Amino acid sequence: MLKFKISILFIFISYLCVAQGFNSGANQTNFYSEINYELINEKIIIPVEIEGLTYKFMLDTGAPNIITTNLQKKITTNFQQTILISDANSKIDSLNLVTIPEMKIGDISYYNIPSLINKTENNQIFECLKVDGFIGSNLLRNSILQILPKERLIILTDNKKKLSLKRKNSTEIEFPDNQSTPYIRIELNADKKANEQVYFDTGMDGFYDLANQHLKIFQKEKIFKINSESKGSQGTGLFGSENTSQYYQVVVPNIKIVNANFENATIVTTNDINSRIGTKILSYGNVTIDYLNKRFYYDPFKNIINLEEKSFGFNPTVIDQKYVIGLVWDDNLKNKIKFGDQSNMER
């Protein structure tokens, strides 16, 4: 039986009504800490200490801090306000924003950290990963975050001299939103060359998701052609399964991220308003996000990476806790299977 990796979308974007104090960070200076992490379903899971007890959190650079309702019942929190939130599928709901008096990651203490509270006690995302929340970019904004995948190690510091960094392997970061999401520019080389602004998202287990809105612009400029298209669903967000949408599949001959060249990448579009790079790039190199000095470092294990892979002609997804057909790309399969058909798959 074939085993497929199910992609669950975690990203959610806070609306502008979030208070200016939403961003926070380490209160201490001259810090350096190494944290071993687990990799579960391609997600980075780290230990976080609150009130003397250790909990599991997912590292999600594309999101703000969030904790489960179950964790909120166990710890001290201070209510701030209720705000509107949009998840990865553009579904909107309101969540409570609180502050947590103290959180510790490794040897570093973070005080009065703003955090959203998940609305329901039973949520597929948190239950699947067995985590108590997400650590987001709003907590990391006063830090330099380095991820070393071969060692399964995270380093947090505020002094770049304590890290081995090569400026030639870096590019500028922009933080256009109020949760300090890190955006970089990548180069696409197909029928023509183009630059695109994307955000680096450790909550996404894929390589590169191209926003449908960006694809329309690239089509007008004749950057590359659509390989195939499909109507269906490809993920579950914070507020449930996404609505049925139109998706496109394209093959990009070359994607350049800093100095690394990724060849023959098959890309599926996303309904997120922005394109994004996920944790798949950690399979090919080390990543450093320097929030303090606004630099993104990528040190590839080799400079040219071929991403060509066999396609099964469809993508599975999870809807109502069932494995189903999400998107069908192969024209020959479209007469045999369709969106919503239950799949005989193992996770």
Side-chain angles (χ1 to χ4, degrees):
M1 184 184 298
L2 293 174
K3 291 186 178 181
F4 293 88
K5 181 170 66 179
I6 305 300
S7 178
I8 299 178
L9 305 179
F10 291 97
I11 309 311
F12 53 100
I13 306 299
S14 57
Y15 271 18
L16 295 178
C17 61
V18 175
Q20 291 299 313
F22 186 69
N23 260 329
S24 190
N27 297 79
Q28 61 198 80
T29 58
N30 195 30
F31 59 87
Y32 177 94
S33 189
E34 297 183 355
I35 303 102
N36 294 105
Y37 69 82
E38 298 179 75
L39 199 65
I40 301 176
N41 292 342
E42 302 302 318
K43 305 297 185 295
I44 296 172
I45 311 300
I46 63 173
V48 175
E49 183 182 322
I50 304 175
E51 297 177 356
L53 296 177
T54 300
Y55 301 93
K56 289 186 176 183
F57 277 66
M58 186 183 81
L59 180 70
D60 191 344
T61 57
N65 273 24
I66 185 169
I67 62 173
T68 64
T69 53
N70 290 330
L71 179 58
Q72 186 197 18
K73 294 175 182 177
K74 299 176 184 178
I75 65 174
T76 302
T77 60
N78 300 306
F79 175 79
Q80 299 298 312
Q81 61 176 309
T82 299
I83 60 175
L84 289 176
I85 296 294
S86 174
D87 73 0
N89 302 322
S90 298
K91 290 187 175 182
I92 298 172
D93 205 341
S94 60
L95 294 180
N96 288 337
L97 176 68
V98 302
T99 55
I100 301 172
E102 182 181 5
M103 305 174 73
K104 286 189 70 175
I105 302 177
D107 300 324
I108 308 168
S109 293
Y110 298 84
Y111 298 101
N112 298 316
I113 297 301
S115 178
L116 298 169
I117 307 297
N118 181 47
K119 205 163 195 175
T120 60
E121 291 190 6
N122 299 315
N123 186 291
Q124 180 179 330
I125 293 175
F126 298 101
E127 290 181 354
C128 177
L129 294 173
K130 294 180 170 52
V131 296
D132 301 289
F134 301 162
I135 293 296
S137 282
N138 66 303
L139 180 139
L140 301 168
R141 64 186 296 267
N142 291 334
S143 307
I144 302 170
L145 166 69
Q146 185 169 75
I147 307 173
L148 305 175
K150 287 185 176 180
E151 296 87 347
R152 297 281 174 90
L153 187 70
I154 284 173
I155 298 174
L156 286 171
T157 183
D158 61 348
N159 187 350
K160 67 179 182 180
K161 292 181 179 179
K162 294 183 178 181
L163 304 173
S164 297
L165 299 173
K166 298 178 181 178
R167 190 170 178 85
K168 68 176 184 178
N169 287 342
S170 73
T171 188
E172 185 180 357
I173 298 178
E174 295 180 36
F175 302 105
D177 61 28
N178 55 15
Q179 64 190 38
S180 295
T181 307
Y183 282 75
I184 63 171
R185 292 191 178 276
I186 64 173
E187 182 181 289
L188 305 172
N189 190 351
D191 294 342
K192 294 181 181 179
K193 286 186 179 181
N195 290 314
E196 184 186 22
Q197 187 180 55
V198 302
Y199 63 94
F200 177 58
D201 176 17
T202 57
M204 169 193 156
D205 60 314
F207 171 66
Y208 166 49
D209 281 353
L210 172 63
N212 275 324
Q213 292 183 18
H214 293 192
L215 176 63
K216 291 178 182 178
I217 297 172
F218 290 144
Q219 280 185 283
K220 289 181 181 178
E221 299 298 325
K222 299 180 180 179
I223 304 300
F224 42 63
K225 302 181 183 69
I226 293 173
N227 205 41
S228 55
E229 57 185 87
S230 179
K231 191 171 185 178
S233 173
Q234 68 166 342
T236 297
L238 191 67
F239 302 135
S241 301
E242 72 171 343
N243 299 325
T244 303
S245 302
Q246 192 75 21
Y247 291 95
Y248 303 92
Q249 189 182 72
V250 299
V251 176
V252 186
N254 185 273
I255 300 172
K256 189 175 182 180
I257 302 176
V258 191
N259 287 327
N261 290 280
F262 295 87
E263 298 181 340
N264 305 312
T266 299
I267 305 303
V268 176
T269 59
T270 174
N271 276 324
D272 195 341
I273 59 174
N274 295 298
S275 299
R276 57 202 179 204
I277 296 293
T279 55
K280 187 65 177 177
I281 70 168
L282 293 171
S283 299
Y284 311 107
N286 301 325
V287 166
T288 303
I289 305 174
D290 187 343
Y291 288 88
L292 290 171
N293 301 293
K294 298 183 178 181
R295 302 296 297 181
F296 177 89
Y297 295 81
Y298 186 60
D299 296 297
F301 304 137
K302 57 182 182 179
N303 288 328
I304 299 177
I305 302 102
N306 192 334
L307 296 180
E308 187 173 11
E309 59 184 10
K310 182 179 178 180
S311 173
F312 294 101
F314 68 93
N315 288 4
T317 190
V318 178
I319 296 178
D320 297 328
Q321 299 185 350
K322 297 178 181 178
Y323 296 109
V324 300
I325 301 299
L327 299 168
V328 182
W329 304 110
D330 191 318
D331 288 337
N332 294 324
L333 287 176
K334 288 180 179 179
N335 295 323
K336 302 175 183 178
I337 58 175
K338 65 182 184 302
F339 165 65
D341 287 348
Q342 274 197 257
S343 304
N344 184 23
M345 300 178 295
E346 294 180 17
R347 192 169 186 173

